[in-house]
């Protein structure tokens, strides 16, 4: 099949993060698929993929062509399937050409664990010109579109984790000082922090600094510039560069505790099988808290982790610090670790998003 994926970067890295991942997963499934990836913000894409150049059109892999989606971009013949990420509205001239070509139109929606998603996933969206458009919802159950996970990901993670030398090599490559690596080689633990500016970060710093364990905290460059290693404590705060999506995974696998955000990194942290704290993307009227509660209700994490994530997302410094201290130093730590690994394994037994989407498109393609 020939696919078009349209991506409009609203802010941050999640829009392009999801689309780039989906393009790679689809083309990895079949060498016969070809994807044209339309992206309006090439600079943002470059942050997570250095191979991207400031060009109108470029070939990113033998099966993925990147088109810089500008207002005056030259139109191309639409593919068999056109995926519009997060209701980003392909150009009207392109939609007219889709009608002429009878392309299948998929609106890839935002991720949510709310129960209504099962009822809406796969529903048609009536269009003029007899265009066939469908809502496609990612999700955590087999009655949704599933989660982005490439074939063999957990096996790849396990192989990587079985070779500790890779972890030390990665940390050295990221510029982590030798003293921090030595601490991790004995009893120290590693945390990774990727969140929004509103996160109660000092709750984390205080909890790690007061912990019985020596912690090293990695923070991507540009985030929380005010945060330093606190004096007279064992906590070491280390700034690391922005990395590619593949290296991002290995950082999550390497860490003992991951703080993630948005839509894409939370799923990668989930596949890491390590305790995670999710800062969900904020929405109007606290709709994000409803989404967060639904996700927590579907998770097997200990109750204290549920409370911590609610406190982390609502900026409750004191309770977030107390919750973290309880979780990282008490018996709850073991329970959190076990449930995190169990949930990753359980969700990985379900078909992944690219496979589901491919099957959905093939089925609806035949019935056109
Ligand atoms: O950047 P985000 O906050 O993106 C958000 C969310 O997707 C949100 O739901 C959406 O509405 C909004 O964008 C527009 O967080 P997210 O989704 O985790 O995306 C981050 C991406 O960046 C993810 O693909 C991982 C990647 N990344 C790297 O590849 N390297 C890095 O070093 C880092 C820190 C991130």
């Amino acid at each position: 099949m020939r696919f078009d994926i349209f991506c409009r970067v609203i802010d941050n890295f999640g829009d392009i993060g999801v689309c780039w991942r989906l393009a790679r997963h689809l083309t990895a499934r079949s060498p016969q698929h070809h994807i044209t990836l339309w992206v309006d913000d090439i600079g943002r894409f470059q942050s997570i993929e250095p191979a991207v150049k400031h060009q109108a059109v470029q070939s990113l892999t033998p099966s993925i062509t990147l088109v810089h989606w500008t207002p005056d971009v030259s139109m191309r013949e639409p593919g068999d399937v056109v995926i519009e990420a997060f209701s980003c509205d392909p150009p009207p001239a392109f939609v007219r050409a889709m009608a002429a070509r009878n392309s299948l139109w998929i609106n890839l929606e935002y991720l949510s664990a709310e129960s209504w998603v099962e009822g809406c996933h796969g529903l048609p969206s009536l269009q003029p010109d007899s265009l066939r458009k469908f809502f496609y919802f990612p999700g955590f159950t087999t009655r949704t579109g599933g989660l982005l996970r490439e074939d063999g990901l957990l096996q790849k993670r396990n192989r990587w984790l079985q070779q500790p030398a890779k972890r030390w090599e990665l940390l050295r490559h990221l510029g982590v000082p030798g003293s921090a690596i030595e601490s991790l080689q004995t009893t120290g633990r590693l945390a990774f922090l990727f969140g929004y500016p509103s996160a109660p970060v000092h709750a984390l710093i205080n909890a790690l600094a007061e912990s019985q364990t020596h912690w090293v905290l990695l923070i991507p460059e540009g985030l929380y510039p005010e945060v330093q290693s606190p004096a007279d404590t064992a906590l070491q705060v280390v700034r690391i560069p922005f990395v590619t999506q593949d290296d991002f995974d290995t950082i999550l696998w390497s860490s003992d505790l991951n703080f993630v955000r948005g839509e894409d990194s939370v799923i990668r942290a989930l596949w890491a099988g390590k305790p995670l704290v999710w800062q969900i993307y904020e929405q109007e009227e606290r709709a994000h808290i409803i989404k967060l509660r639904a996700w927590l209700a579907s998770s097997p994490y200990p109750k204290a982790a549920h409370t911590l994530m609610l406190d982390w997302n609502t900026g409750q410094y004191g309770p977030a610090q107390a919750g973290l201290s309880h979780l990282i130093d008490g018996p709850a730590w073991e329970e959190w670790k076990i449930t995190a690994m169990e949930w990753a394994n359980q969700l990985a037994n379900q078909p992944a998003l690219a496979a589901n989407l491919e099957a959905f498109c093939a089925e609806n393609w035949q019935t056109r």
Side-chain angles (χ1 to χ4, degrees), residues 10-15 17-18 21 47-48 110 192 194 196 220 241-245 248 261-266 281:
I10 304 294
D11 58 9
N12 304 323
F13 307 94
D15 306 290
V18 166
R21 216 179 271 296
S47 309
I48 58 168
Y110 286 109
F192 171 65
F194 180 50
Y196 297 114
F242 233 77
V243 296
T244 63
Q245 282 189 326
F248 184 71
R261 72 183 202 190
E263 176 136 337
D264 191 52
S265 55
V266 65
Y281 187 77

Side-chain angles (χ1 to χ4, degrees), residues 179-224:
S179 60
I181 296 178
E182 274 164 35
S183 150
L184 295 170
Q185 282 169 335
T186 52
T187 54
R189 287 196 209 136
L190 186 65
F192 171 65
L193 172 60
F194 180 50
Y196 297 114
S198 59
V201 167
H202 287 286
L204 168 64
I205 300 300
N206 292 343
L208 297 184
E210 289 173 13
S211 168
Q212 297 150 15
T213 308
H214 287 186
W215 283 88
V216 176
L217 175 65
L218 305 182
I219 308 183
E221 64 193 5
L223 286 183
Y224 312 111

Side-chain angles (χ1 to χ4, degrees), residues 200 203 259 276-279 286 289 292-293 295-297 299-327 332 336:
F259 286 75
L276 73 90
V277 176
W278 183 24
Q279 187 175 17
R286 292 168 58 85
I289 299 296
L292 176 66
R293 285 185 187 279
W295 179 77
L296 287 170
S299 85
Y301 298 142
K303 267 275 158 289
H306 290 213
T307 310
L308 166 63
M309 284 194 239
L310 286 165
D311 290 334
W312 184 253
N313 278 275
T314 50
Q316 310 291 317
Y317 280 81
Q321 184 181 333
L324 265 165
S325 297
H326 165 75
L327 278 156
W336 201 7

Side-chain angles (χ1 to χ4, degrees), residues 159-161 163-171 254:
R159 279 197 301 278
W160 199 89
L161 287 174
Q163 301 169 70
K166 289 204 176 283
R167 189 183 187 211
W168 316 131
E169 189 187 311
L170 168 76
L171 295 179
S254 274

